[in-house]
Each structure stands twice: as C-alpha cells, then as structure tokens.
Amino acid sequence: MRDVQVLDLEELAGALTDGKISTGQCADALTATQQFVHRYLRGPEEGPNGPSAVFPPAEVVALEMLPAF
C-alpha cells in the first residue's frame, strides 16, 4: 500500500518562501497533486483525463471497516 500524505498548500508556499524546498520540489508536489485529482476525483463528465481509479482505494476501505479504538 502506498503512503498517503496530506498537502497543505499554505505550508507548501511557506516552505518555498523560506527556502526550505526548491522550486523543483514545489513543482513536483503540485504536479503529483494534480495527477491525483485527475486520477481519483475528476468525473467522466469533465472530459478525458487518462486512466481513472476508484477512490478510496480498496485498501483504505478495508481499514475503514476496522473497529474504532
């Protein structure tokens, strides 16, 4: 299963402004975010966007079925 990370755009902008990440790293994060949106969140009515996948992935659904702590 892939790691899932939350993207906070204000934090991303701050890291770029403060020199903690490079413009290339920022661009990579934005590109990956857009690819996620295209793959998992856009509907067919929004036009061709490449192969889509079911969201949430089956692995996440299985975790949701576990009892709460």
Side-chain angles (χ1 to χ4, degrees):
M1 182 161 75
R2 290 187 254 169
D3 288 339
V4 177
Q5 297 181 10
V6 175
L7 174 65
D8 181 326
L9 294 177
E10 289 177 344
E11 186 178 350
L12 180 65
L16 180 62
T17 300
D18 295 343
K20 294 179 180 176
I21 62 170
S22 69
T23 55
Q25 290 170 310
C26 184
D28 288 346
L30 293 172
T31 299
T33 301
Q34 189 63 52
Q35 289 171 346
F36 177 88
V37 169
H38 281 287
R39 183 161 188 208
Y40 292 108
L41 305 180
R42 285 184 58 170
E45 67 279 1
E46 296 176 88
N49 52 27
S52 62
V54 174
F55 186 81
E59 296 87 354
V60 173
V61 174
L63 291 173
E64 289 179 328
M65 302 301 281
L66 294 174
F69 295 104

